[in-house]
Every structure is written in structure tokens, then in C-alpha cells.
Amino acid sequence: MNPLIGEIKAGIGGLSEAIALADDLEGVAKQVGDLGKKELAARQAWRRKQVQRDGDYACVAAVDEYKRVKEALELKEELKRQAIKKWGPAAWHEIELIEARQKEDWAKIYTEDGYDRQKMAKLKWGCFGAAALITFVLWQTCMLPMEILTASGCGG
């Protein structure tokens, strides 16, 4: 037998194996894709169930919140009675002023935190805009690296 024919047969056998491997890889890719679709469907079903469950228990959550608020108000009234009994009405007035100041401080901290986050977002978008502008100018003046320029047809 001619050695050239043996080489051709070996080459054809190698191609057959490569085609079989490609088919196997295609099957695995399809299975992975199907798994991804099943996972997505499971997540969507879980989210729908969470929304339904939260909706079913909304009344219970409302009752719990009402109970907490009522207990807090009752506790405040009890503390007021004790403070007036122990230190007098002027002391309770001072306590109310302190409470108002604390609430104001918390609101101020929250507002400042939100303001800081807003400023950081503006800075981030400003930096992004500046980078885009610099890239545009460099692109128009053909001053980018050679790989990018030759790919875009600028010629360098």
C-alpha cells in the first residue's frame, strides 16, 4: 500500500474524530444552555412565589407594625409619667427637646449621606464623560495606538 494513501486515511480518521468531538461539544453546549434556561425559569418561579407569599402575609406584617408602634407609644407615655413624677413637667419638656434634636441630627446625617452619594455619582459620570471626550478627540486625530488605528482604517 502506498504511504501517501495511509497518510490520507489517517488524516480522514483524524477529521472524523474531530467531527465527532465537535458534535459531542455541541451536545454539551446545548445541555448547558438548557440548564441555564431551567435555572432562569426556577428563579422566575421563585420570585413569583415570593411576591405571592409577601402579598398573602401583608396583613400579618401590617398587624405586626401596628403592634410595634402601639407598644412604642405606650412605652413613651409610661416614660413620660415616670419622668414627670420623678423630675417634674419641666424635665419632660427638656426630654422632648432632646428627642427633637436627636431626630434632627439623624435626619441631617441621612441627608448628608445622600448628598455625598449624589456628589460621587456626579463625579463618576463627569470622569466617564471626560474619558469619552478624550477618546473621541484621539480617535479623530488618529493618535490612538497603532492596533486600534489600523483596525479602524485610519492608517496611522
Side-chain angles (χ1 to χ4, degrees), residues 8-26:
I8 292 174
K9 285 184 179 181
I12 291 174
L15 286 174
S16 298
E17 289 178 21
I19 291 172
L21 179 63
D23 288 341
D24 288 345
L25 289 175
E26 184 179 331

Side-chain angles (χ1 to χ4, degrees), residues 60-134:
V60 175
V63 169
D64 287 344
E65 183 176 344
Y66 173 79
K67 187 171 77 171
R68 285 192 305 272
V69 170
K70 185 167 178 62
E71 287 173 356
L73 292 174
E74 288 172 356
L75 180 61
K76 183 177 179 179
E77 286 300 317
E78 179 61 30
L79 291 172
K80 180 179 179 179
R81 279 195 294 275
Q82 290 177 4
I84 291 173
K85 183 178 176 183
K86 189 169 187 175
W87 298 303
W92 182 250
H93 179 69
E94 289 292 323
I95 291 170
E96 287 180 328
L97 291 176
I98 292 169
E99 179 186 12
R101 187 193 75 230
Q102 288 176 344
K103 286 181 179 179
E104 184 179 310
D105 288 346
W106 279 108
K108 188 176 181 181
I109 289 171
Y110 178 77
T111 303
E112 287 174 354
D113 184 42
Y115 178 75
D116 291 344
R117 279 189 260 135
Q118 184 182 22
K119 284 293 197 183
M120 287 301 293
K122 284 182 180 179
L123 176 65
K124 177 180 70 174
W125 284 108
C127 291
F128 175 76
L133 180 66
I134 291 169

Side-chain angles (χ1 to χ4, degrees), residues 30-69:
K30 186 177 182 300
Q31 288 175 350
V32 169
D34 291 344
L35 182 63
K37 289 177 186 175
K38 287 179 183 176
E39 180 196 8
L40 182 62
R43 283 185 184 191
Q44 289 173 343
W46 181 81
R47 285 186 188 124
R48 282 193 298 273
K49 183 67 175 173
Q50 290 300 106
V51 168
Q52 179 184 356
R53 183 186 60 87
D54 291 345
D56 291 345
Y57 290 101
C59 181
V60 175
V63 169
D64 287 344
E65 183 176 344
Y66 173 79
K67 187 171 77 171
R68 285 192 305 272
V69 170

